Amino acid sequence: MASSTMTSSQSPRPPRPNLAFRELRGQRSPAEFAAAVRRAAREIGERVSCDARYVGRVEAGEIRCPNYAYERVFLHMFPGRTLTDLGFAPRSSVRGRGARATEVAPPAPGARPVHATGETWGAYEPYDTQDPYETYDNEESDVLRRAFMTGGGATVAAASLSPIGLAFDATAAQRPVRRVGAGEADALEEAVRRIRVLDDRHGADGLYRRAAAPLRAAYALLDAGATRQTTADRLHSGAGELAISVGWLAHDSGRYDDARSHYAEALATARMTGDPALESHAFCNTAFLARDAGRPREALRAAQAAQRVGRVLGSDRLMSLLALREAGGWAGLADRTGCEQALARAQALYERGPSDADPEWMSFYGEAELEGLEAQCWSSLGDWPRAARHARRAAQLQDPHFTRNIALYTAELADDLARGGRPDEAATAGMRVLDLLGQVQSSRVQSMLAGTARVLLPHRRASGVSTFLERHAGLPRSA
């Protein structure tokens, strides 16, 4: 919400371009520099969603001080320099009236940063507040607070986050909305990123119930119209990506009809605006949903459509993922040959490596995801030993940031071991999943674990099985 010290007649002071940062970029394009930032982040175990637009915002002075994750990456890229040397303002000077008088060193990974009390959240936010190391409640609160906010002179259909989740500001949605600009597009894109971060860590169940209202707010922005065509394009793309994100939350929490509706909405938005990136993403998720819903032929058609549309984007990693979606369709149809061919194509495309053309939403797609999706294919084909081998590798390779995926791959491993006649190992894997359920809320994972428990019932005398079954039986049931 807007700062109490700023009225609608007041405008924030114009940002001062960051010439030092621009000089460090040198002859590289913004996209090339963003790719270098992402590579540097991987070198030190960070995960940032840096793109050309973020680089542009820094150079324009819109981000006067980076968040802690970006700070660590920048200082790694330019050793011996301080944030001031990089053209940024001191952290204490950009955090509002309640800012600390002195700067505090960034927390180590996994530590919770200390925030200033009484921090002002204004229409113009010069401080990049996305911090991937905040705890669940605080981070989710931050998502809600900044998802959609009043920007410039426009009154936006807004969503704000309470400490327990997404709480829609209904009165804002009913007020007249003026034509919107780049600030609203920025807020919409940031909301999509943050929802993905929360889902990666905690699963969909706790988020989906609170996500529909921000999606309505996004489409309210489209109805309001934009000042420029480039902004309108960004709003359509952002609204479509948000629809996909909300659809995934529905998918992962077992609400398949809702997910189908949201994906269809994103697909319609993509086709209206001629956006092949959004269209291929919508088809990709539609294929995944159809496979999980027991419609393998639809999954196959959607995956093939995604590949036709996505080929023009020039991303081998995207085409690799889409080939895996196709493999899942073939596996559901019990076509082993078709599945193996698609898997081989996916592996070959993946080995070509990442590129600047890779969509931002694919940050989850690495070797672990490739192994996990291949495990699901072999599981569908009934090749339990092979499925277990890939699922085990997926769980071992997964970045700890993606807690939900670790739980998912381990649940897949437990089920494959149980069905493959190795109940004691299945129970051990199942116990690891139970340990993660305190952090992860995913109906999908819980459903897989319930299936494993049913398979293990006849083997309760095997080592560790009875302990697993008793602990699983004590889980609270989802509403």
Side-chain angles (χ1 to χ4, degrees):
M1 58 187 295
S3 166
S4 60
T5 62
M6 184 179 294
T7 67
S8 60
S9 62
Q10 292 175 315
S11 60
R13 61 182 176 80
R16 179 180 301 172
N18 186 337
L19 301 180
F21 197 87
R22 173 62 187 90
E23 184 178 351
L24 290 169
R25 175 160 67 85
Q27 299 300 312
R28 289 173 288 187
S29 70
E32 290 170 337
F33 188 77
V37 172
R38 296 194 299 270
R39 285 194 298 271
R42 289 194 293 269
E43 289 172 2
I44 61 172
E46 290 288 356
R47 185 174 293 274
V48 296
S49 299
C50 187
D51 56 14
R53 187 173 296 120
Y54 180 90
V55 174
R57 291 181 64 204
V58 172
E59 293 180 357
E62 295 177 19
I63 297 175
R64 292 170 55 206
C65 186
N67 69 25
Y68 288 119
Y70 274 107
E71 176 181 348
R72 283 186 283 267
V73 175
F74 292 150
L75 296 184
H76 171 68
M77 292 178 70
F78 305 106
R81 299 177 188 260
T82 65
L83 284 181
T84 303
D85 295 332
L86 301 181
F88 293 110
R91 193 175 301 280
S92 60
S93 69
V94 295
R95 298 203 65 155
R97 292 174 300 176
R100 294 158 292 186
T102 57
E103 291 190 59
V104 177
R112 178 174 181 158
V114 179
H115 292 294
T117 58
E119 187 168 331
T120 299
W121 297 90
Y124 170 65
E125 179 58 75
Y127 178 75
D128 182 14
T129 52
Q130 181 182 359
D131 192 330
Y133 297 109
E134 293 182 325
T135 59
Y136 179 71
D137 286 346
N138 200 39
E139 185 174 37
E140 189 172 350
S141 171
D142 198 47
V143 174
L144 296 167
R145 181 165 49 214
R146 297 192 63 225
F148 303 97
M149 55 190 169
T150 301
T155 301
V156 184
S160 63
L161 287 169
S162 66
I164 60 171
L166 283 157
F168 182 58
D169 182 354
T171 60
Q174 295 169 2
R175 292 195 294 266
V177 180
R178 301 178 186 176
R179 294 176 72 82
V180 298
E184 288 74 30
D186 287 341
L188 176 54
E189 291 163 353
E190 185 69 7
V192 174
R193 294 187 187 104
R194 294 186 177 213
I195 286 175
R196 288 172 182 159
V197 168
L198 289 174
D199 173 56
D200 290 339
R201 294 184 184 167
H202 308 291
D205 287 10
L207 287 172
Y208 177 68
R209 293 188 298 271
R210 301 183 291 276
L215 181 58
R216 289 195 296 271
Y219 279 94
L221 293 179
L222 296 182
D223 290 338
T227 55
R228 297 181 180 180
Q229 184 59 46
T230 54
T231 303
D233 292 342
R234 287 179 60 195
L235 288 172
H236 278 90
S237 177
E241 290 293 343
L242 184 57
I244 292 174
S245 291
V246 175
W248 167 250
L249 297 179
H251 180 176
D252 195 44
S253 57
R255 298 170 172 89
Y256 289 174
D257 289 342
D258 289 355
R260 188 180 180 90
S261 175
H262 289 307
Y263 292 158
E265 189 170 31
L267 187 58
T269 301
R271 287 182 164 175
M272 282 190 297
T273 57
D275 187 340
L278 179 60
E279 185 173 356
S280 63
H281 190 185
F283 270 131
C284 176
N285 279 41
T286 298
F288 199 18
L289 172 66
R291 192 212 67 170
D292 283 356
R295 299 191 298 268
R297 199 167 299 280
E298 178 185 333
L300 180 62
R301 289 197 301 267
Q304 291 171 339
Q307 291 172 82
R308 286 194 299 272
V309 175
R311 195 168 287 115
V312 301
L313 301 175
S315 169
D316 291 324
R317 285 287 167 91
L318 173 62
M319 297 304 292
S320 172
L321 175 60
L322 298 179
L324 283 168
R325 297 288 188 245
E326 179 183 336
W330 288 120
L333 292 169
D335 188 328
R336 189 183 184 99
T337 299
C339 179
E340 289 179 335
Q341 290 174 347
L343 288 174
R345 192 164 69 252
Q347 184 68 48
L349 287 163
Y350 182 86
E351 289 175 354
R352 294 181 184 178
S355 72
D356 291 347
D358 297 340
E360 182 182 342
W361 60 266
M362 286 188 62
S363 61
F364 72 93
Y365 185 56
E367 191 176 0
E369 180 73 4
L370 188 152
E371 292 284 346
L373 291 175
E374 182 164 355
Q376 292 173 11
C377 289
W378 295 120
S379 179
S380 294
L381 291 168
D383 191 336
W384 311 119
R386 200 166 185 176
R389 186 165 63 251
H390 286 283
R392 190 186 305 277
R393 182 163 169 75
Q396 292 170 344
L397 289 170
Q398 183 59 68
D399 186 325
H401 168 85
F402 293 92
T403 311
R404 192 273 319 284
N405 279 4
I406 294 175
L408 177 66
Y409 302 147
T410 310
E412 174 72 36
L413 172 62
D415 197 63
D416 294 334
L417 290 170
R419 296 176 189 277
R422 297 156 72 180
D424 51 343
E425 294 180 56
T428 300
M431 292 291 279
R432 290 200 296 272
V433 179
L434 290 173
D435 291 338
L436 292 170
L437 290 185
Q439 306 172 53
V440 175
Q441 298 177 351
S442 170
S443 294
R444 191 154 159 248
V445 172
Q446 292 181 11
S447 177
M448 293 173 67
L449 208 57
T452 301
R454 287 192 293 272
V455 174
L456 289 178
L457 275 174
H459 306 280
R460 62 170 56 250
R461 292 188 177 182
S463 175
V465 172
S466 62
T467 302
F468 164 73
L469 291 174
E470 289 170 6
R471 187 174 168 192
H472 178 264
L475 286 177
R477 295 300 175 227
S478 300

